[in-house]
Amino acid sequence: MTNSQTGTRVVTVGLGERAYDIHIGPGVAGNIGDLILQKFGPRKLVVITDKNVDEHHGKALMTALADKGLSARNIVLPPGEATKSFASIEQVVSNILDGGIERDDLLVAFGGGVIGDLAGFAAAITLRGIDFVQIPTSLLAQVDSSVGGKTGINAAHGKNLVGAFHQPGLVLADTNILKTLPKRELRAGYAEIVKYGLIGDAEFFTWLEANGAALLAGDDAARVHAVYMACQAKADFVARDEREHGVRALLNLGHTFGHALEAIAGFDGRLIHGEAVSIGMVLAAELSVELEFCNNNLPVRIKAHLESVGLPTQISDVDCEIPGVDILTGHMMHDKKVRDGKLVFIMLRDIGDAFVTSDIDRHKLLDFMTAKCSRT
Ligand code: GLY
């Protein structure tokens, strides 16, 4: 793990006395010791990671901490969505308590979205809340889940239904770490980057159409720029609406459809989160056409871009039996975004022009979903 010398960019999440910086760039994780000392002073650390990340990067991280005199122990968990469970959180918190923990100790979430959400939740509930640092190792976690303080686990009823808002004190998005990420994971994270263009930045979407392939092929400058743009956009939404009473909901574009598809695919790796979001964003654009918020050029353009980078864009791309539309909409009704029994949708008027509505005719939605499912 080398220290970053150049090319680092910093985004600040402006939350008053809980404000924190996201450091983005090649090698920034190598600066962890200094950054922790600057922000928190000397602390005892517990690093929570998964087996894959530990194998590739664990030793380098522990060395970077030890070099600055920071004492750390680590907890290594199995990779995969199944780890975001009640059983795992119990195991992790027990392990933290067994090791002896004090209020001033610091947790470090070193992994993708699963580890970030789980470790963040452990930080939120252990001793009623301790500080934590996010070192997101997947593109998806760098551009979305490590920023903004949503932490939690899945329940039998659906994804992310148990958790807490608990902001990290520091985020280090090291773009060098993305080099060991499987291509499929990289593409899935890319879907969340596209989301930022669609919800609020048409120019960025056009930039992605021109540069997305290079970014995925390994272009460092394109990666740093895209992670920076995504984090800056997310920081703005979070600073304006930390608890998602308003604009933050736009970040859920495609997620109600996506979460339902993930539930159907069974969280076993057949459909990973970013892929589900990719399909969900196309469905959101198609439903926007159906409800006459925009014309058909919009989903066509979005689909073309997502397909060009190898992302799935329709329900039939999911490698599983598609159940009846009632089961699919049943999963959608379990989403956190249901208000007064009504589904909340993010719809599009144009690229970069999204809005939130719960005023969607149930019959039109059912007809739309029936048509989408029957084409599979
Ligand atoms: N991933 C959506 C949010 O953080 O609000």
Side-chain angles (χ1 to χ4, degrees):
M1 197 163 276
T2 52
N3 284 15
S4 76
Q5 306 296 332
T6 54
T8 300
R9 308 201 63 182
V10 180
V11 170
T12 299
V13 185
L15 288 169
E17 56 186 27
R18 290 175 299 116
Y20 56 94
D21 288 341
I22 308 162
H23 295 253
I24 301 154
V28 291
N31 300 339
I32 184 168
D34 285 335
L35 291 170
I36 285 181
L37 289 169
Q38 275 161 29
K39 168 92 189 193
F40 303 98
R43 298 268 187 119
K44 260 183 21 215
L45 311 174
V46 180
V47 176
I48 301 176
T49 190
D50 75 26
K51 197 164 157 288
N52 293 341
V53 174
D54 188 54
E55 267 167 30
H56 284 110
H57 309 288
K59 197 157 171 264
L61 185 82
M62 297 312 252
T63 306
L65 291 168
D67 283 351
K68 298 292 168 183
L70 289 164
S71 103
R73 68 184 185 91
N74 69 357
I75 298 175
V76 182
L77 299 167
E81 191 72 31
T83 295
K84 252 176 78 169
S85 65
F86 278 106
S88 300
I89 194 73
E90 184 181 4
Q91 189 196 334
V92 166
V93 172
S94 299
N95 191 327
I96 293 169
L97 295 172
D98 283 347
I101 185 101
E102 296 176 6
R103 274 246 161 80
D104 278 346
D105 294 351
L106 193 62
L107 290 196
V108 178
F110 187 37
V114 167
I115 289 296
D117 285 4
L118 182 84
F121 189 39
I125 60 177
T126 303
L127 306 186
R128 296 208 179 96
I130 57 176
D131 290 328
F132 82 114
V133 172
Q134 288 268 19
I135 309 181
T137 58
S138 69
L139 184 58
L140 187 134
Q142 293 193 351
V143 299
D144 187 25
S145 57
S146 69
V147 175
K150 281 188 181 174
T151 72
I153 55 172
N154 301 327
H157 301 77
K159 235 179 112 89
N160 298 334
L161 292 183
V162 176
F165 282 95
H166 187 57
Q167 300 289 344
L170 179 68
V171 181
L172 307 181
D174 187 336
T175 47
N176 278 350
I177 289 180
L178 301 177
K179 293 186 176 65
T180 54
L181 207 61
K183 281 275 176 287
R184 185 178 173 205
E185 294 279 344
L186 208 56
R187 278 198 300 270
Y190 182 76
E192 294 275 6
I193 295 180
V194 171
K195 178 185 81 180
Y196 292 100
L198 295 180
I199 60 180
D201 192 340
E203 206 179 302
F204 183 48
F205 183 79
T206 305
W207 184 88
L208 291 170
E209 287 178 312
N211 296 282
L215 182 164
L216 287 167
D219 182 321
D220 275 333
R223 286 181 180 186
V224 173
H225 178 69
V227 175
Y228 172 79
M229 292 295 285
C231 287
Q232 186 62 65
K234 178 134 193 197
D236 288 346
F237 282 113
V238 171
R240 284 162 68 197
D241 178 24
E242 184 183 4
R243 298 261 166 166
E244 200 174 299
H245 297 302
V247 288
R248 183 168 181 169
L250 294 175
L251 294 168
N252 298 322
L253 175 68
H255 281 59
T256 299
F257 293 116
H259 285 167
L261 292 171
E262 279 182 274
I264 283 164
F267 303 111
D268 62 0
R270 277 179 292 177
L271 183 71
I272 55 179
H273 179 65
E275 294 170 339
V277 168
S278 175
I279 300 172
M281 291 191 299
V282 174
L283 288 171
E286 290 173 338
L287 182 59
S288 301
V289 174
E290 220 49 43
L291 300 173
E292 298 177 13
F293 297 128
C294 63
N295 69 41
N296 197 42
N297 295 339
L298 188 79
V300 169
R301 182 172 168 199
I302 297 169
K303 202 169 171 183
H305 180 54
L306 294 169
E307 273 172 6
S308 76
V309 297
L311 278 162
T313 57
Q314 51 202 357
I315 295 179
S316 56
D317 291 339
V318 184
D319 174 24
C320 74
E321 189 82 12
I322 301 301
V325 77
D326 45 335
I327 307 231
L328 202 60
T329 46
H331 282 297
M332 288 161 80
M333 290 305 292
H334 271 127
D335 203 88
K336 290 188 299 313
K337 293 171 280 296
V338 172
R339 298 250 193 288
D340 293 333
K342 284 184 158 182
L343 277 165
V344 178
F345 277 99
I346 318 305
M347 295 281 95
L348 291 164
R349 290 188 200 94
D350 203 346
I351 307 279
D353 184 4
F355 65 101
V356 184
T357 180
S358 56
D359 192 18
I360 295 220
D361 185 291
R362 188 175 280 259
H363 298 292
K364 284 192 178 163
L365 176 66
L366 278 176
D367 287 350
F368 172 78
M369 291 307 293
T370 306
K372 289 292 150 195
C373 291
S374 65
R375 259 176 235 154
T376 62

